[in-house]
């Protein structure tokens, strides 16, 4: 070849040296050394990360009612609270990730950089997160409604065909938490006595009021008393569904008073809720959500249709429901039926093309097995 060197000597093979004696040296991981890294939270999140989209949406959301409730103002004393936009963005981002527990969101804020990016070095805890979701549920629901209404106005969600289905979700209550009326009354008396004892301790020792552990004990006692009181208030509803001679068997949970024992998909019976979803089939956007304490889907169609009409000002043109849900008259059929809605009346279900009274509820199929009573008895 043109660039080949003539008479190039062949390389000599490497001569083995004497064996090395001693401990090998290498770079090991060191995790207990304090060091300073010059990187901000913003630099640690890529520009295309979904958390930035959530934050941009939170910046554009109208949270004026939340800011109007802040009592800490300029030139006045008072500790400033957490920016409501941070809490709103945290819950919105957690929801998109399938997280619904305040304790889990609190844990993620301490472990995950994307949640830390939303917080921006602002310390949050699960009590603050839970209180925010509980106290401002109506506002969060309105924001969701406005978002879907914009999609409807832009013809991205046309409500031409909406499908509804229910899903039973286990409640955070055990079967052992269900109590009858005498036990509930006794538990309420004990809870109120504990709250009164803690109140007297606070009055006798004002310094104890600042103790975080004391405050946690008092808050836990007040929450338990409130749950037992709610269970007693719901007990008459359970008694009304029992036979005349079995009203004393009605029970309510002291952990979650609204939970009802339902038959689950695995054939067992557990305290649960019946979550109803209505979805626009074309865009796959959820346009209606409801949580009921009835194990059956019967009678859940009309409230959902009314919810959609109240939210977006129009009713779906076609509605798909399971065979167990009361549907449009004249559209019986298999396991899933589709009917065209022509109107919904108060106290009735959707009418058929010719109007007329609502059809009777479907008969119970044979071989269906026992059904759990509303208070947990079969």
């Amino acid at each position: 070849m043109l660039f080949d060197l003539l008479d190039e000597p062949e390389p000599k093979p490497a001569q083995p040296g004497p064996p090395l004696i001693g401990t090998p040296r290498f770079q090991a991981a060191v995790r207990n050394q304090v060091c300073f890294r010059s990187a901000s939270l913003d630099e640690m999140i890529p520009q295309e990360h979904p958390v930035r989209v959530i934050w941009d949406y939170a910046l554009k959301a109208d949270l004026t009612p939340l800011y109007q409730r802040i009592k800490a103002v300029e030139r006045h004393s008072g500790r400033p609270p957490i920016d409501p936009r941070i809490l709103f963005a945290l819950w919105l981002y957690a929801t998109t990730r399938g997280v619904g527990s305040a304790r889990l969101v609190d844990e993620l804020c301490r472990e995950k950089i994307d949640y830390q990016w939303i917080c921006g070095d602002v310390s949050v805890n699960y009590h603050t997160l839970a209180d925010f979701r509980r106290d401002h549920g109506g506002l969060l629901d309105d924001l969701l409604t406005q978002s879907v209404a914009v999609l409807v106005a832009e013809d991205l969600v046309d409500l031409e065909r909406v499908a509804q289905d229910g899903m039973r979700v286990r409640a955070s209550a055990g079967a052992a938490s269900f109590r009858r009326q005498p036990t509930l009354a006794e538990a309420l008396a004990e809870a109120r006595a504990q709250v009164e004892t803690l109140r007297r301790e606070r009055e006798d020792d004002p310094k104890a009021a600042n103790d975080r552990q004391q405050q946690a004990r008092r808050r836990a006692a007040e929450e338990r008393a409130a749950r037992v009181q709610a269970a007693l208030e719901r007990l008459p509803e359970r008694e009304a569904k029992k036979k005349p001679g079995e009203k004393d068997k009605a029970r309510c949970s002291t952990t979650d008073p609204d939970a009802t024992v339902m038959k689950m998909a695995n054939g067992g019976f557990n305290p649960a809720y019946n979550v109803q979803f209505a979805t626009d089939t074309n865009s796959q956007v959820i346009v209606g959500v409801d949580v009921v304490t009835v194990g059956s889907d019967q009678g859940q169609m009309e409230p959902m249709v009314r919810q959609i009409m109240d939210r977006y000002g129009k009713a779906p043109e076609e509605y798909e429901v399971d065979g167990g849900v009361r549907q449009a008259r004249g559209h019986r059929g298999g396991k899933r039926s589709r009917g065209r809605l022509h109107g919904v009346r108060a106290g009735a279900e959707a009418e058929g093309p010719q109007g007329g009274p609502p059809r009777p509820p479907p008969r119970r199929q044979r071989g269906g097995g026992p059904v759990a009573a509303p208070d947990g008895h079969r």
Side-chain angles (χ1 to χ4, degrees):
M1 298 296 293
L2 180 62
F3 297 100
D4 287 346
L5 299 179
L6 300 178
D7 300 331
E8 181 181 3
E10 296 182 359
K12 298 180 179 180
Q15 297 295 330
L20 300 178
I21 301 176
T23 304
R25 294 183 297 108
F26 51 87
Q27 297 183 22
V30 179
R31 299 182 178 88
N32 58 355
Q33 182 177 348
V34 179
C35 62
F36 296 94
R37 294 179 174 87
S38 57
S40 64
L41 284 173
D42 198 58
E43 294 174 341
M44 301 175 71
I45 295 294
Q47 292 296 327
E48 63 276 7
H49 199 283
V51 72
R52 294 184 180 272
V53 179
I54 297 297
W55 181 251
D56 290 340
Y57 178 83
L59 290 176
K60 298 176 183 179
D62 185 12
L63 303 182
T64 303
L66 299 182
Y67 287 101
Q68 292 176 346
R69 298 183 182 183
I70 297 178
K71 298 181 180 179
V73 295
E74 296 180 355
R75 297 186 297 274
H76 290 79
S77 61
R79 182 180 180 181
I82 300 176
D83 185 358
R85 207 171 298 275
I86 293 178
L87 300 176
F88 173 70
L90 279 175
W91 272 120
L92 186 60
Y93 184 65
T95 302
T96 62
R97 291 294 183 268
V99 178
S101 168
R103 290 182 181 271
L104 183 54
V105 175
D106 181 14
E107 180 179 346
L108 292 172
C109 289
R110 289 182 274 109
E111 297 179 354
K112 300 296 184 180
I113 188 62
D114 45 356
Y115 287 84
Q116 295 173 6
W117 184 86
I118 297 178
C119 295
D121 286 335
V122 175
S123 178
V124 299
N125 57 67
Y126 71 92
H127 270 297
T128 303
L129 292 166
D131 292 344
F132 179 82
R133 184 175 61 177
R134 179 195 62 196
D135 298 339
H136 309 297
L139 176 63
L140 299 178
D141 185 73
D142 292 341
L143 291 173
L144 174 63
T145 301
Q146 294 172 9
S147 302
V148 180
V150 171
L151 298 177
V152 173
E154 297 296 330
D155 292 332
L156 298 177
V157 176
D158 53 17
L159 297 181
E160 179 180 351
R161 179 181 298 170
V162 172
Q164 178 182 347
D165 201 359
M167 178 179 64
R168 294 174 179 84
V169 179
R170 290 194 60 173
S172 298
S177 66
F178 284 78
R179 298 287 186 268
R180 299 184 183 182
Q181 197 277 338
T183 309
L184 289 175
E186 182 180 352
L188 180 60
E190 294 178 357
R192 288 177 175 175
Q194 185 178 4
V195 172
E196 182 64 22
T197 301
L198 294 175
R199 184 187 65 81
R200 282 198 296 265
E201 291 180 359
R202 181 181 57 184
E203 293 177 352
D204 296 340
D205 186 7
K207 295 182 180 180
N210 298 326
D211 185 69
R212 296 183 61 182
Q213 185 176 3
Q214 183 75 4
Q215 293 179 5
R217 289 175 54 197
R218 185 176 67 255
R219 181 169 56 247
E222 292 174 351
E223 291 175 355
R224 174 172 173 76
R227 290 195 301 267
V228 176
Q229 179 65 37
L232 281 171
E233 293 176 356
R234 198 181 177 213
L235 201 59
E237 175 187 343
R238 300 289 185 88
E239 294 176 350
K241 298 179 181 180
K242 303 293 291 183
K243 296 180 180 179
E246 299 180 353
K247 293 185 179 296
D248 58 338
K249 296 182 180 180
R251 302 184 302 170
C252 264
S253 172
T254 56
T255 303
D256 191 346
D258 292 329
T260 303
V261 175
M262 302 179 184
K263 187 175 182 179
M264 309 300 288
N266 59 2
F269 292 83
N270 299 106
Y273 289 93
N274 187 357
V275 183
Q276 296 286 321
F277 293 97
T279 307
D280 180 74
T281 58
N282 293 330
S283 63
Q284 300 297 308
V285 173
I286 296 177
V287 296
V289 179
D290 196 10
V291 180
V292 297
T293 58
V294 180
S296 172
D297 290 342
Q298 293 185 10
Q300 303 303 324
M301 175 179 143
E302 182 197 349
M304 185 63 72
V305 174
R306 290 198 169 278
Q307 180 185 143
I308 296 174
M309 294 175 61
D310 293 339
R311 285 179 181 271
Y312 316 117
K314 60 182 296 187
E317 297 183 11
E318 294 185 2
Y319 212 79
E320 291 186 357
V321 290
D322 287 335
V325 184
R326 303 180 70 176
Q327 56 218 17
R329 177 175 170 266
H331 291 279
R332 302 173 185 253
K335 296 182 179 180
R336 192 164 188 85
S337 302
R338 180 172 69 246
R340 184 171 298 274
L341 297 181
H342 292 266
V344 179
R345 300 179 302 173
E349 55 186 283
E351 296 177 349
Q354 304 299 328
R359 70 178 181 88
R363 296 181 179 179
R364 180 181 175 184
Q365 298 179 356
R366 295 182 179 179
V371 179
D375 62 351
H377 296 285
R378 299 184 186 181

